[in-house]
Amino acid sequence: MEQTTQGALGRRRIGVPALVFMIIAASAPLTVVGGGVTSNYAVTGLLGIPLSFIVLGIVLLVFAIGYTAMSRHVHNAGAFYAYVAQGLGGGAGVGAAWVALIAYNALQIGVYGMFGFVLSSFLAGTFGLSIPWWVSALAGWVIVGLLGINKVDLSAKVLGIIVALEFLVVIVYDVVAIGAAPEGLTTGSIEPNSLFAAGVGAALVFSIAAFMGFESGAIYNEEVKDPQRTARRATLIAIVIISLFYAFSAWAMAVGEGDSQVIARSAEFGPDLMFVFLEGRVGQWFIVLGNLLFITSVLAALIAFHNVIARYLFAMGREGVLPRALAATNRAQAPVAGSLVQSALAFALIVIFAIAGAGHESGALFPVITLFTWLTNTGAFGLVLLMMLTSFSVIGFFKKREHTESAWVASIAPWLSGIALVALFILIIVNFGVLIGLEEAGLLSWLLPAIVVVPGVLAALWGHSLRRSKPEVYARIGAGAPID
């Protein structure tokens, strides 16, 4: 496959609809409704989970006001990295880049644990095949790797089909659930006192994971059809869709099970609750289709996060912050070097967890309670930290430059979102032990966040030192590529 050492990404390939699908794919709609919402009900014991998506949607829309305004001025495949560099300085940008790399890799590789589990479970239940989770995970790894080195619009088409089918399955579930309504069309789950009670912090932390990936719109700004508008529109549309759709589906679940039963039923059945509910209410073929789409939902998230990581590595290699070989692209104008590096890292960790899980007492659930739970929550922690830094970076960016943005866009909205994200970040730290399944805080609840923060701090110090040691590299940090 032909490569160039300093390539360029494919230009003018992605429109608003395709980018919206790519953003939503990272959040894996069927996985969120089937697994995330039920887990939130079960762990927090709060009825107000639907309202949590509305609250977070408002926070992220306020965040997106400044974030997407900045995207019109900064075109870089390493979005958070570039934004922090442009707003808070090159040193902070390099630190943010390492936080982003670790966080996105943790999210992406952690999802392999869920993919391996659900695919192996499906094959065992449907065909009687006993296949280790790591074999199934590696099958997904091959598909993700092949798409990662092809044209980005191929990934967009695949993700678009998967996401559309996911929405169809969840909508059918929502309609059936509302039709069942054993206690009537209740509104208890969307009343403020159902959310704002003891456990609200954990509920918000669980729900924020459903939005992970919404920020990736700006990462494709070098490849969209209109760099001034596409990413901004797609990001805002995606946040609104994610927030309203998940809130509606979580409410439908409460209605379908009954407000008085949804928490207990979620604790009893977990991610299977949706399909247990549908048994006897829809055709068996639809249950099978739903299970298949649950698998492809997880696969879509793997593809979306893989593409993001490959572009971060490309951006950092192009600017000399990482080896320039990482800026290699191929004939498809895909960031092939970054894609291969991410695939290699994912392969290594799948193998490590496969060895560690051999004969483990948790059996088939091992990849879910370790690889998936540990790494995805670590990744979410890192991305909230990045969003928090980016909010303040927007303020710094517009303060240093002449611009035509209003005070609301350039200052007030970023301040409000920054403060809200600081509060959410603190909630994640306080509740991290709960998120990874610990009954009480232990070494792991501090070690996993440290894996994100410590390299980021060290990288920031190193990045700051480049101002003197390599001023030509420092000057390029976060600069990106010109958009013609």
Side-chain angles (χ1 to χ4, degrees), residues 385-404:
L385 172 60
L386 285 170
M387 287 189 284
M388 180 181 74
L389 291 174
T390 301
S391 286
F392 299 118
S393 299
V394 171
I395 299 168
F397 176 81
F398 286 117
K399 188 174 182 179
K400 292 185 292 186
R401 291 165 175 77
E402 291 187 5
H403 60 85
T404 58

Side-chain angles (χ1 to χ4, degrees), residues 37-408:
V37 172
T38 54
S39 296
N40 209 339
Y41 275 128
V43 174
T44 66
L46 292 175
L47 183 60
I49 303 308
L51 187 58
S52 70
F53 291 110
I54 300 298
V55 171
L56 290 170
I58 292 170
V59 170
L60 295 181
L61 277 175
V62 174
F63 167 80
I65 289 170
Y67 177 68
T68 58
M70 194 169 173
S71 74
R72 296 199 296 265
H73 302 272
V74 180
H75 307 111
N76 195 312
F80 280 151
Y81 150 62
Y83 290 16
V84 174
Q86 294 285 339
L88 300 180
V94 175
W98 275 95
V99 170
L101 282 176
I102 295 169
Y104 277 119
N105 270 292
L107 276 169
Q108 202 268 355
I109 298 171
V111 172
Y112 276 113
M114 177 62 77
F115 181 81
F117 171 77
V118 296
L119 179 55
S120 290
S121 296
F122 177 79
L123 293 174
T126 307
F127 303 105
L129 299 175
S130 180
I131 297 177
W133 72 268
W134 55 268
V135 174
S136 295
L138 288 176
W141 174 82
V142 171
I143 296 171
V144 172
L146 289 174
L147 287 173
I149 58 176
N150 273 284
K151 292 181 179 180
V152 69
D153 40 343
L154 175 60
S155 289
K157 291 172 183 175
V158 171
L159 294 176
I161 294 169
I162 292 174
V163 171
L165 291 173
E166 286 183 61
F167 270 101
L168 177 62
V169 170
V170 177
I171 289 170
V172 170
Y173 166 76
D174 291 345
V175 171
V176 174
I178 293 171
E183 299 175 11
L185 295 179
T186 55
T187 58
S189 61
I190 55 176
E191 294 174 1
N193 61 350
S194 295
L195 175 64
F196 296 101
V200 61
L204 291 172
V205 169
F206 266 105
S207 293
I208 192 64
F211 292 87
M212 292 298 99
F214 87 90
E215 74 289 349
S216 63
I219 290 172
Y220 294 97
N221 223 355
E222 295 181 38
E223 302 165 85
V224 297
K225 292 181 178 179
D226 183 353
Q228 296 296 320
R229 298 179 180 86
T230 300
R232 180 182 180 87
R233 290 175 179 174
T235 299
L236 295 174
I237 291 169
I239 292 173
V240 172
I241 291 174
I242 289 171
S243 177
L244 295 180
F245 185 69
Y246 291 161
F248 180 80
S249 297
W251 171 75
M253 183 176 290
V255 169
E257 300 293 340
D259 284 0
S260 66
Q261 297 298 316
V262 67
I263 293 171
R265 294 268 292 175
S266 294
E268 181 181 358
F269 294 105
D272 289 332
L273 180 61
M274 176 186 293
F275 300 110
V276 169
F277 175 84
L278 289 174
E279 285 282 354
R281 291 184 168 95
V282 296
Q284 188 59 35
W285 67 269
F286 188 82
I287 303 292
V288 174
L289 175 62
N291 277 286
L292 279 172
L293 288 172
F294 194 99
I295 295 168
T296 57
S297 169
V298 182
L299 180 65
L302 285 168
I303 296 168
F305 284 125
H306 174 89
N307 287 342
V308 168
I309 296 162
R311 281 156 179 77
Y312 259 95
L313 290 167
F314 168 86
M316 295 174 70
R318 178 176 59 189
E319 293 167 13
V321 177
L322 287 178
R324 296 187 185 279
L326 290 172
T329 58
N330 56 15
R331 289 180 178 178
Q333 291 184 298
V336 63
S339 179
L340 293 174
V341 167
Q342 201 285 319
S343 292
L345 181 58
F347 179 84
L349 281 174
I350 291 171
V351 170
I352 289 171
F353 274 84
I355 294 171
H360 195 274
E361 61 183 11
S362 57
L365 281 172
F366 174 81
V368 176
I369 64 177
T370 57
L371 181 59
F372 175 74
T373 302
W374 294 355
L375 268 64
T376 55
N377 282 298
T378 300
F381 166 85
L383 291 185
V384 172
L385 172 60
L386 285 170
M387 287 189 284
M388 180 181 74
L389 291 174
T390 301
S391 286
F392 299 118
S393 299
V394 171
I395 299 168
F397 176 81
F398 286 117
K399 188 174 182 179
K400 292 185 292 186
R401 291 165 175 77
E402 291 187 5
H403 60 85
T404 58
E405 306 290 352
S406 67
W408 166 249

